[in-house]
Amino acid sequence: MALALISPELKKASRPELAVFFHHCVRSGLDPFARQIYMIGRKNKGRDREENPITWTIQTGIDGFRTIAHRAAERTGERISYEDTVYYAADGTTSDVWLADEPPAAVKVTVLRGTSRFPLVARWAEFAPEHWDNKQGKYVVAAMWKQMPAHMLRKCAEAGSLRMAAPQDLSGVYADEEMEQADAEVVAGEAKEASSRLRAAAGLDDAHSEAESNAEVEESGAPTPKKSRPKPATEASTQSEGSKRPRRRTASKRAENKAADGGGGD
């Protein structure tokens, strides 16, 4: 009953996985019932998917990351601070503020704990989640990432930097923004599997695979293989086949043989 209050999905988790989750709750001081920290299950695509069909990830928001890191630093008499955020364009130029309409190619956040620096660079290609849009017929960036690209990517960089600054407290915990691409990949994989099942039920798999192979051959520039057809019989082959057949005796030939036999008996 208590697990259902946190998340109905937790009923599928094993006891060891639940023990790890609640250990993180106690260690971080975050309340799972207040949704400050939670554990999300995703379909396992690895080699051990038969033994472990679900992969569990402990997640929290960026505010939870900041709270945990500051508490960890206070225990040792240190404090958490930041250097200026650096935004990178595709050509490598940097700026302190991102004003362009297109998303930044990368963002660097550097967390300071005591006298130590913990810089981390998050690349757009590695974190931006995409999903299939049926109306547009193509993959598009998630709504929040399209609306606030620099802000969302900065959260990923900050979460990774805070994890390096407080590894004992944040190891194994991920920010929501870090895992959005994984969620998009799971959805895309499930949609692809569902499409494959529908095509198989409609008997379209063979035709689809043949079309794909022909397309690959066309792209490679190689000639498309044609189905072999039976070769027509040539004149020589017809004559050779006819020579193998037994010849029919004509009527005149039979008469000559009969007369020869009669003459020999007299």
Side-chain angles (χ1 to χ4, degrees):
M1 185 65 180
L3 293 178
L5 295 176
I6 300 174
S7 174
E9 290 185 354
L10 291 183
K11 294 181 179 180
K12 303 177 184 178
S14 63
R15 286 183 177 272
E17 290 164 337
L18 290 173
V20 171
F21 171 59
F22 287 116
H23 171 72
H24 277 284
C25 295
V26 173
R27 186 180 67 176
S28 63
L30 299 180
D31 187 356
F33 292 95
R35 298 292 293 171
Q36 293 178 344
I37 187 171
Y38 31 88
M39 187 166 67
I40 297 179
R42 296 177 177 85
K43 191 173 182 179
N44 186 6
K45 296 290 185 179
R47 296 180 179 178
D48 60 339
R49 57 181 176 273
E50 294 184 359
E51 299 177 358
N52 302 306
I54 299 178
T55 299
W56 296 93
T57 306
I58 300 173
Q59 294 181 209
T60 184
I62 192 63
D63 292 332
F65 259 70
R66 294 166 182 162
T67 300
I68 295 171
H70 280 282
R71 287 176 181 173
E74 289 175 359
R75 289 198 303 266
T76 58
E78 298 171 316
R79 60 187 298 269
I80 295 291
S81 58
Y82 296 83
E83 290 183 359
D84 291 339
T85 302
V86 181
Y87 297 89
Y88 293 86
D91 59 359
T93 57
T94 62
S95 60
D96 296 335
V97 180
W98 189 256
L99 300 176
D101 293 333
E102 67 272 8
V107 176
K108 182 173 76 171
V109 171
T110 302
V111 170
L112 305 176
R113 178 176 177 176
T115 58
S116 301
R117 298 175 68 255
F118 301 93
L120 188 134
V121 176
R123 296 178 61 245
W124 176 264
E126 296 174 350
F127 287 96
E130 295 182 343
H131 65 274
W132 180 259
D133 190 317
N134 289 326
K135 293 183 179 180
Q136 301 185 38
K138 63 178 182 179
Y139 283 97
V140 297
V141 178
M144 287 297 294
W145 284 75
K146 186 177 181 180
Q147 182 179 353
M148 300 183 294
H151 178 66
M152 300 298 284
L153 189 58
R154 187 196 179 281
K155 285 184 178 182
C156 295
E158 182 182 359
S161 184
L162 288 171
R163 190 183 298 110
M164 290 193 300
Q168 290 295 112
D169 298 81
L170 287 172
S171 176
V173 181
Y174 295 88
D176 297 336
E177 293 76 14
E178 291 181 285
M179 300 305 298
E180 285 190 29
Q181 190 177 70
D183 292 332
E185 290 177 355
V186 169
V187 172
E190 292 178 351
K192 187 175 181 180
E193 290 179 359
S195 176
S196 299
R197 289 195 296 268
L198 290 174
R199 295 188 68 85
L204 299 176
D205 276 351
D206 295 338
H208 181 65
S209 60
E210 183 178 354
E212 285 185 346
S213 62
N214 291 338
E216 291 176 358
V217 171
E218 290 178 1
E219 291 179 0
S220 63
T224 305
K226 299 180 180 179
K227 294 183 178 179
S228 59
R229 297 179 179 178
K231 296 181 180 180
T234 61
E235 183 178 355
S237 61
T238 305
Q239 291 178 356
S240 61
E241 290 180 0
S243 62
K244 296 179 182 178
R245 298 174 183 173
R247 296 181 179 178
R248 294 183 178 179
R249 295 181 178 181
T250 61
S252 58
K253 188 67 176 178
R254 289 198 297 269
E256 291 178 1
N257 292 339
K258 186 175 182 181
D261 292 340
D266 294 337

